[in-house]
Amino acid sequence: MAILRRHSSIETARSLSDDMLAEIILRLPVKAVARSRCVSKGWCATISDGYLRRRLPLQLSVVYFPDGGGKAPRFACAHGGGGLLEDRDLGFFPFLDGAVVCDACNGLLLFRAAGTARFYVVDPVTRRWASLPAPSRDARLSMLAFDPSGASPRGYHVVNFTGRWRDRGGEVEVFSSEAWAWAARDVEFGVPAGALSGSMHFHGGAVYALAYDPDCVVRMDVANPELTCTVAELPAKATDGDGRLAHSGGRLHYVASDGAQLKVWVLDDSSPAALRWRLKHAVKLDAVAEGGCGGNETRFMALHPEKDVAYMWSAWKLVEYDLTRKEVTGAWEFGEGEKNRVVRTWLVPSSLYLSDCPLADAQVQC
């Protein structure tokens, strides 16, 4: 009887039209959508359709470290407007215990084997990972550059700053997943090399790095083989050093806090000859805490790529804050009584987790 019922369910699923199947898939969590590709060739084809992928919601994900020291990083995803963040098991990555997280970008994690020059790129949702060839130089700072909405949504780069500086430039080595090779370049930063900070952001094929003394942002064009750099002054200095770069609505934003207020500027790049910052939002951090963030420390993590919404972190929650209405619109907890430190937050199309990102040592579990 059970076999007959199972056969009937399979026949019912096969009889669904493509439109009906698409509407069902759009209502599933992204993890269930990814697994649904294994149901049948028809389901896989429907899920792979570009029109359906564009209709999937954005996925909020974070990388964080629990307090207590020595604990491994965790990756979690959020659903709906609040609740508990759902941890994803990273145990599928065989080198997890002997590796450290260097960076994370739009759904991918960059690991480095401790004491070596070996790098790994890991996708915690599709459970794929890739071992990269060793670079020719040791890296002082490494960042992952991946933009699923860019011109090459399946490609990624790893950018190594080797620390071989000169007055206003230095050596940078870049790995391209499309060429599957590293390339070293001598780059002119446009500012003293020692002014570059570790606060970097990637969008649209370019790395944006904050620099201090002078206070500016340096744009490095990763898509250009020469890694051409341009410089724009910052509108204000973050008095406590909490300045961040982000993109929303296709434009670069600078977010800074003075401990009492969070200010958001947008770069008006309509005239390339005169780059100007415009103050877009100013929010009292007390209002965020009163709205549900809690804790003594509140830090900006990310902007929504399409809306005037910011994501804040405190010791117990990740909060979604509407910058226009000035109210909390969502809050996610990390577990009862569990403190943590979030290091990366992003929102990307759920289709990212359904794509065939070029990770050579791909391992997929359905």
Side-chain angles (χ1 to χ4, degrees):
M1 186 63 69
I3 294 176
L4 291 176
R5 286 198 297 268
R6 181 184 177 190
H7 178 76
S8 177
S9 299
I10 293 173
E11 289 303 317
T12 300
R14 287 175 176 173
S15 67
L16 294 174
S17 68
D18 290 345
D19 289 341
M20 292 176 63
L21 183 57
E23 291 302 318
I24 292 172
I25 291 171
L26 288 172
R27 286 164 171 77
L28 295 175
V30 63
K31 189 175 181 179
V33 175
R35 288 178 171 176
S36 296
R37 291 179 303 171
C38 301
V39 172
S40 68
K41 291 182 179 179
W43 281 57
C44 184
T46 301
I47 293 170
S48 300
D49 183 75
Y51 173 72
L52 183 140
R53 289 191 178 193
R54 288 192 295 271
R55 293 177 62 193
L56 290 171
L58 296 176
Q59 179 80 25
L60 174 64
S61 306
V62 300
V63 176
Y64 72 98
F65 287 85
D67 278 359
K71 294 186 178 180
R74 297 183 184 178
F75 174 84
C77 295
H79 301 286
L84 286 175
L85 287 165
E86 179 185 346
D87 276 1
R88 298 292 173 88
D89 181 21
L90 298 177
F92 70 92
F93 176 50
F95 305 105
L96 181 63
D97 291 339
V100 295
V101 175
C102 298
D103 197 16
C105 184
N106 289 330
L108 298 183
L109 310 181
L110 178 65
F111 284 86
R112 181 175 180 174
T116 74
R118 176 65 66 185
F119 288 94
Y120 305 94
V121 175
V122 176
D123 185 334
V125 174
T126 61
R127 303 172 71 83
R128 294 181 173 132
W129 59 274
S131 175
L132 307 188
S136 62
R137 307 286 190 190
D138 194 21
R140 179 171 296 183
L141 175 67
S142 301
M143 73 166 293
L144 180 62
F146 175 57
D147 184 1
S149 62
S152 180
R154 296 181 64 249
Y156 59 86
H157 295 83
V158 177
V159 183
N160 280 353
F161 294 85
T162 66
R164 297 189 173 203
W165 305 136
R166 47 188 175 75
D167 184 27
R168 299 174 70 84
E171 185 184 60
V172 178
E173 194 169 13
V174 179
F175 173 81
S176 167
S177 64
E178 295 180 339
W180 205 253
W182 293 88
R185 294 288 184 271
D186 188 64
V187 181
E188 292 288 341
F189 299 135
V191 298
L196 291 177
S197 76
S199 181
M200 298 187 179
H201 169 70
F202 180 76
H203 180 82
V207 171
Y208 295 84
L210 287 180
Y212 301 102
D213 194 24
D215 297 319
C216 59
V217 55
V218 178
R219 181 187 186 276
M220 180 189 297
D221 189 355
V222 178
N224 187 317
E226 300 303 318
L227 304 179
T228 305
C229 293
T230 55
V231 178
E233 293 185 4
L234 291 176
K237 183 177 181 179
T239 55
D240 62 354
D242 192 20
R244 301 285 293 271
L245 296 168
H247 267 81
S248 182
R251 289 191 171 186
L252 182 66
H253 289 65
Y254 175 62
V255 184
S257 168
D258 60 6
Q261 270 194 328
L262 186 78
K263 293 184 178 181
V264 182
W265 289 267
V266 59
L267 184 64
D268 183 4
D269 54 1
S270 57
S271 174
L275 298 177
R276 294 174 181 167
W277 295 93
R278 173 175 57 85
L279 181 63
K280 190 176 181 181
H281 299 288
V283 176
K284 292 182 179 179
L285 292 178
D286 288 346
V288 180
E290 291 172 1
C293 196
N296 296 325
E297 184 180 5
T298 302
R299 285 186 176 272
F300 167 82
M301 295 306 305
L303 289 178
H304 194 287
E306 300 170 357
K307 306 175 184 177
D308 283 338
V309 170
Y311 293 86
M312 316 280 193
W313 165 84
S314 81
W316 294 275
K317 292 181 180 180
L318 182 69
V319 171
E320 180 184 78
Y321 188 83
D322 191 309
L323 294 167
T324 301
R325 293 187 293 173
K326 292 184 169 50
E327 64 180 21
V328 172
T329 52
W332 295 267
E333 297 182 354
F334 293 82
E336 186 176 354
E338 183 178 32
K339 295 183 180 181
N340 56 81
R341 179 164 292 274
V342 175
V343 294
R344 285 289 188 274
T345 302
W346 58 81
L347 286 97
V348 293
S350 300
S351 58
L352 163 66
Y353 298 126
L354 309 177
S355 65
D356 298 321
C357 187
L359 301 184
D361 297 325
Q363 297 187 357
V364 184
Q365 295 185 10
C366 295

